[in-house]
Every structure is written in structure tokens, then in C-alpha cells.
């Protein structure tokens, strides 16, 4: 087991190095440059451009820029070109804003997807299965921005409450319980919107996995032995159907950094996805590369968690 985990860790470290190199090259080979002269701004002179390039080492070879950037990143000295703020501090502030959206959305998705998918598989072809299939494909097909505006209109018109931003303006003057409930209310709608697509996709995947396992010989044998309904479906079928979700569980970690640009933009939520989008528009290379690097770390950390969970749940890997 230790040799398996050791090989997996070494492979992920090597992968992370190549990801950092490729992402750095792609960013610098993309059209445009943060130091290009803006003809619409007369104050942005070629002399200022040259001082900018020297200050941020853009006049040096790419391999030197690569080493300087990751040295500054790992020592906490990397700053944003847009506002000269420390990149890690800037990302940490936005990360704390995206974290509640991620946690609530993930809990809603995984809590509802499994009961819906399992019941659809057990009652295959019935009214419940057909209804959930129709709703799932409808949620997958509907554009997220359109669904968001529909929800906003329905909630605002019916309940007459604000839903934009992280909190209501002026709520700080109220009691702390009102402040907490206001934050929860603003968090609920974007979290539900972010979870709808995940519920639709994951419930279909749970259904397909359960149907595949239900057709296996050992499940038919369990039925023939006279085991109860719960023992057949939840002890024999479900436990084996959960193995592929170990991989999916590890891959939800990148959602901590990615967020949703559309949801955060519509609801004016200052999260990670919106910050990355604004950094791309501003060609803020330190922020873009740092977000990409952290995303790669989370992806590889998630796959490492999946490897460890596989070792725990599957005896064949331990052997």
C-alpha cells in the first residue's frame, strides 16, 4: 500500500511541474501583453511601459521569468499587477467568499442526488423514474444564466427580499441574528442554482451505476437466497455501486477555487471565479498563474485522496 501511494505522489509532483510549465508558456504566448501601449490612454507612454517591464522582469527570458515568478509565489512576494496587492492574500479573501457557496452547493448536490438516483434505479421504468429523468434532462439543458434570472424574478416578486450580493445594505445596524440570517438568505439562492445542474448529472450517474450492479449475478443470488429488500439493494448493490464515486468525490476539490463565473457575476458575489475572470480581462499574469497553479494542486490532491480512499474500500489495491 505504501509503495502504491508513494508512486502516486511522485507522479503527481512530476505532473504538477509540467502543468506549471505549460500554463506559464500558454499565458505568455497568448495574444496581447500587459505591457502593450494603449493608444486610447495618452498617459500610458512607451517610457512607462519600459519601466513596467523592468519592474516585473518582463524584459528577461521566459525561463528566468518562470523561476522568478514561482520563487516569488512560494515565498509570498508575488503581487498583482492590477492593484499591487499580494496575490496570495487577494486569493485568500476571495476563497473565503467562495467557500460557503461550495460547501452548501456540494452538500445539496450529494445529499439529493443519491436518494433520487437510487430510487429511480430500483423503480426503473415507473412514474417516479420517468419524472426524475425528464426533470434531470430539463435542468441539464436549460442555460444557467436564464435559470438564474427566472429564480431571481420569482423570489423577488413573491417574497420581496434582496438576493444580490453577500448581504443587504445597512444590515450591519441590526442584531447579529438578523445579520446571520441575511447572509444565509443571500447564500441560499446561488447555492441552489449551482447545485441544480450537479443534482441532474450526478443522479443520472447514480442511476446508471445502480442499474449496472443490479444486473450482476451476485445480486440475483442475494435475491434467490431470500434476503430482504434493504439487504439486496443497499448492502449488496449500493456498496459496490459506490466505488466509482470515490473518484468523483476526490475531483470535487477543484470547485473550491473554480467557483462559477456566471453565478458569481449574476449575483454580484465576490468569489474566486469572478476574480479569475477579471484577472484574465486585465491580463494580470500573477493572479492568473497563481489561480491556475492552485487549481492544479487541488486537482492532484483530489486524485490523491481518491487513491487513498480506493486503498481503504478496495482490498485488491492493498494486495
Amino acid at each position: 500500500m505504501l509503495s502504491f501511494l508513494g508512486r502516486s505522489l511522485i507522479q503527481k509532483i512530476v505532473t504538477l511541474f509540467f502543468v506549471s510549465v505549460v500554463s506559464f508558456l500558454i499565458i505568455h504566448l497568448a495574444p496581447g501583453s500587459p505591457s502593450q501601449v494603449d493608444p486610447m490612454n495618452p498617459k500610458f507612454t512607451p517610457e512607462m511601459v519600459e519601466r513596467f517591464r523592468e519592474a516585473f522582469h518582463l524584459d528577461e527570458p521566459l525561463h528566468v521569468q518562470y523561476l522568478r515568478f514561482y520563487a516569488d509565489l512560494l515565498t509570498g512576494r508575488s503581487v498583482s499587477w492590477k492593484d499591487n496587492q499580494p496575490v496570495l492574500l487577494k486569493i485568500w479573501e476571495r476563497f473565503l467568499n467562495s467557500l460557503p457557496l461550495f460547501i452548501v452547493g456540494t452538500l445539496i448536490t450529494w445529499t439529493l442526488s443519491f436518494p433520487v438516483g437510487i430510487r429511480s434505479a430500483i423503480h426503473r421504468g415507473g412514474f417516479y423514474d420517468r419524472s426524475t429523468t425528464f426533470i434531470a434532462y430539463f435542468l441539464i439543458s436549460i442555460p444557467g444564466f436564464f435559470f438564474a434570472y427566472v429564480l431571481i424574478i420569482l423570489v423577488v416578486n413573491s417574497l420581496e427580499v434582496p438576493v444580490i450580493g453577500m448581504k443587504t445594505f445597512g444590515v450591519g445596524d441590526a442584531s447579529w441574528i438578523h445579520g446571520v440570517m441575511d447572509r444565509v438568505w443571500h447564500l441560499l439562492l446561488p447555492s441552489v442554482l449551482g447545485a441544480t445542474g450537479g443534482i441532474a448529472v450526478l443522479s443520472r450517474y447514480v442511476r446508471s451505476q445502480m442499474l449496472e450492479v443490479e444486473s450482476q449475478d451476485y445480486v440475483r443470488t442475494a435475491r434467490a437466497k431470500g434476503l430482504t429488500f434493504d439487504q439486496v439493494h443497499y448492502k449488496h448493490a449500493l456498496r459496490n455501486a459506490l466505488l466509482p464515486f470515490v473518484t468523483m468525490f476526490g475531483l470535487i476539490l477543484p470547485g473550491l477555487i473554480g467557483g462559477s463565473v456566471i453565478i458569481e457575476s449574476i449575483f454580484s458575489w465576490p468569489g474566486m471565479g469572478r476574480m479569475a475572470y477579471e484577472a484574465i480581462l486585465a491580463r494580470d499574469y500573477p493572479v492568473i498563474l497563481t489561480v491556475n497553479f492552485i487549481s492544479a494542486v487541488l486537482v492532484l490532491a483530489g486524485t490523491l485522496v481518491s487513491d487513498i480512499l480506493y486503498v481503504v474500500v478496495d482490498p485488491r489495491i492493498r494486495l
Side-chain angles (χ1 to χ4, degrees):
M1 182 178 70
L2 292 178
S3 61
F4 168 76
L5 295 179
R7 289 195 305 269
S8 178
L9 183 60
I10 293 174
Q11 291 172 358
K12 286 167 176 52
I13 293 175
V14 174
T15 302
L16 182 62
F17 168 73
F18 283 106
V19 167
S20 66
V21 173
V22 172
S23 61
F24 187 86
L25 293 176
I26 290 176
I27 289 295
H28 284 76
L29 293 177
S33 170
S35 61
Q36 65 187 12
V37 177
D38 186 1
M40 303 300 294
N41 189 354
K43 296 182 180 180
F44 203 54
T45 63
E47 291 76 13
M48 294 180 62
V49 172
E50 190 60 31
R51 289 198 299 269
F52 180 86
R53 290 176 59 84
E54 292 178 359
F56 292 103
H57 312 291
L58 294 176
D59 55 343
E60 298 181 1
L62 278 180
H63 68 278
V64 177
Q65 294 184 43
Y66 172 85
L67 295 176
R68 283 184 177 273
F69 169 75
Y70 281 101
D72 291 341
L73 176 62
L74 296 177
T75 55
R77 295 178 298 176
S78 181
V79 296
S80 169
W81 294 352
K82 182 180 179 181
D83 50 22
N84 208 35
Q85 293 184 6
V87 172
L88 294 179
L89 178 61
K90 190 174 181 178
I91 291 177
W92 176 251
E93 293 175 352
R94 294 297 188 99
F95 169 79
L96 294 179
N97 294 337
S98 293
L99 186 60
L101 279 179
F102 169 80
I103 293 176
V104 176
T106 302
L107 288 176
I108 295 174
T109 300
W110 285 75
T111 302
L112 297 180
S113 298
F114 279 88
V116 172
I118 293 170
R119 186 175 178 184
S120 296
I122 294 176
H123 303 284
R124 179 183 181 182
F127 175 77
Y128 180 85
D129 183 31
R130 295 176 184 273
S131 301
T132 54
T133 300
F134 172 79
I135 295 173
Y137 285 122
F138 174 78
L139 294 176
I140 293 172
S141 303
I142 189 172
F145 65 90
F146 176 77
F147 195 31
Y149 285 123
V150 171
L151 287 179
I152 291 174
I153 293 173
L154 292 176
V155 171
V156 172
N157 288 339
S158 60
L159 301 179
E160 297 183 355
V161 293
V163 295
I164 303 300
M166 294 182 61
K167 61 181 181 179
T168 304
F169 180 76
V171 76
D173 299 333
S175 62
W176 68 270
I177 186 65
H178 286 88
V180 172
M181 294 305 297
D182 181 73
R183 290 292 296 269
V184 171
W185 175 252
H186 281 77
L187 176 66
L188 183 61
L189 198 59
S191 298
V192 170
L193 181 64
T196 51
I199 294 172
V201 175
L202 189 58
S203 64
R204 294 297 90 194
Y205 192 56
V206 172
R207 177 183 180 275
S208 64
Q209 287 297 121
M210 280 292 293
L211 289 176
E212 181 179 350
V213 174
E214 291 272 354
S215 62
Q216 299 296 320
D217 292 338
Y218 60 85
V219 176
R220 287 196 293 267
T221 303
R223 291 196 188 96
K225 289 167 59 178
L227 298 181
T228 63
F229 179 89
D230 290 344
Q231 288 178 322
V232 172
H233 293 290
Y234 296 107
K235 182 178 180 180
H236 289 77
L238 181 59
R239 288 182 61 182
N240 289 278
L242 289 179
L243 288 178
F245 295 99
V246 172
T247 302
M248 296 183 65
F249 181 77
L251 293 177
I252 66 174
L253 285 180
L256 284 168
I257 203 81
S260 175
V261 178
I262 296 177
I263 294 176
E264 291 177 0
S265 298
I266 292 176
F267 288 93
S268 298
W269 193 277
M272 288 294 307
R274 190 177 174 189
M275 185 196 68
Y277 176 70
E278 294 171 350
I280 292 173
L281 294 180
R283 294 189 177 94
D284 195 349
Y285 287 1
V287 175
I288 299 172
L289 289 171
T290 303
V291 170
N292 184 77
F293 182 79
I294 296 176
S295 299
V297 170
L298 289 176
V299 171
L300 296 175
T303 56
L304 182 62
V305 170
S306 298
D307 293 340
I308 296 174
L309 292 177
Y310 265 124
V311 171
V312 173
V313 302
D314 195 342
R316 293 172 296 180
I317 295 179
R318 291 198 297 268
L319 298 176

